[in-house]
C-alpha cells in the first residue's frame, strides 16, 4: 500500500474510476488437513496484518510472501500438512484448497479501493480527485468524488 502511495507522489495521472471492494480472508489448506495441524501461515503482508489478532490466537507463525495467490499456490504444491494460506475463497477454489476458517480478518469492515488511472483527464461527468497529504514521514491519500 505504501508503495502505491509513493508512486502516486511521483507521477501525474487522473483517476478514471474507483471501486470499493469488501475483503474477506480465509485460512486455507489442502483437503483433509485439520486446523489443529497448522503451524505456519503464508500470505501477503497486508492480509497478515489484517488477521494479526486471529493468527495470534491460533498460535501460528506468519510468513510474508508476495501476494495471497502465491501463498495459496505454495500450499497447494507442498506436501507439508502443517502449512496454510490466508487468501480469498475464490483463490482457494483455483488451487483446490479448503477453507478451515472464513472471515478471519480482525475487522469485519475491511475494504480495499481499486483505482483505474490514465494519463489523460476523464471525459465523463464525474471528476475524481485524490488529495495527498504529507506530514514528516507520514503519507496519507484520501479519495474524494465531486459531482459537476
Amino acid at each position: 500500500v505504501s508503495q502505491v502511495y509513493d508512486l502516486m507522489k511521483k507521477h501525474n495521472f487522473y483517476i478514471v474510476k474507483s471501486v470499493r471492494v469488501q475483503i474477506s480472508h480465509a485460512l486455507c489448506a489442502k483437503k483433509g488437513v485439520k486446523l489443529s495441524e497448522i503451524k505456519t501461515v503464508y500470505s501477503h503482508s497486508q492480509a497478515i496484518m489484517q488477521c494479526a489478532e486471529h493468527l495470534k490466537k491460533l498460535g501460528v507463525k506468519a510468513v510474508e510472501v508476495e501476494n495471497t495467490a502465491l501463498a495459496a499456490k505454495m500450499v497447494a504444491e507442498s506436501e507439508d500438512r502443517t502449512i496454510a494460506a490466508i487468501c480469498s475463497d475464490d483463490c482457494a477454489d483455483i488451487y483446490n484448497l479448503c477453507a478451515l476458517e472464513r472471515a478471519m480478518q480482525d475487522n469485519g469492515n475491511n475494504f480495499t479501493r481499486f483505482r483505474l488511472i490514465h494519463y489523460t483527464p476523464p471525459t465523463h461527468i464525474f471528476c475524481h480527485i485524490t488529495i495527498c497529504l504529507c506530514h514528516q514521514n507520514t503519507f496519507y491519500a484520501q479519495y474524494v468524488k465531486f459531482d459537476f
Side-chain angles (χ1 to χ4, degrees), residues 93-132:
D93 289 342
I94 290 168
Y95 290 104
N96 202 29
L97 300 176
C98 280
L100 302 175
E101 293 192 350
R102 287 189 169 86
M104 63 176 290
Q105 60 276 1
D106 298 332
N107 183 347
N109 190 26
N110 188 15
F111 288 85
T112 295
R113 182 168 286 131
F114 295 94
R115 293 188 173 120
L116 175 62
I117 62 172
H118 201 276
Y119 288 101
T120 60
T123 58
H124 50 74
I125 194 165
F126 298 113
C127 178
H128 303 276
I129 299 171
T130 297
I131 301 170
C132 300

Side-chain angles (χ1 to χ4, degrees), residues 33-140:
V33 172
K34 294 179 174 62
L35 180 61
S36 60
E37 296 178 74
I38 302 302
K39 305 289 180 232
T40 306
V41 175
Y42 293 90
S43 197
H44 184 267
S45 59
Q46 283 294 124
I48 290 171
M49 182 180 64
Q50 292 168 353
C51 301
E53 289 300 315
H54 195 85
L55 292 171
K56 186 176 177 181
K57 288 178 189 172
L58 292 175
V60 297
K61 176 183 173 186
V63 178
E64 293 180 10
V65 295
E66 190 174 333
N67 57 58
T68 57
L70 177 61
K73 183 179 183 200
M74 289 171 59
V75 170
E77 293 176 351
S78 176
E79 296 298 320
D80 187 350
R81 293 177 58 88
T82 68
I83 65 172
I86 298 173
C87 61
S88 67
D89 284 326
D90 289 338
C91 194
D93 289 342
I94 290 168
Y95 290 104
N96 202 29
L97 300 176
C98 280
L100 302 175
E101 293 192 350
R102 287 189 169 86
M104 63 176 290
Q105 60 276 1
D106 298 332
N107 183 347
N109 190 26
N110 188 15
F111 288 85
T112 295
R113 182 168 286 131
F114 295 94
R115 293 188 173 120
L116 175 62
I117 62 172
H118 201 276
Y119 288 101
T120 60
T123 58
H124 50 74
I125 194 165
F126 298 113
C127 178
H128 303 276
I129 299 171
T130 297
I131 301 170
C132 300
L133 306 172
C134 298
H135 181 268
Q136 294 174 335
N137 293 328
T138 305
F139 178 75
Y140 175 75

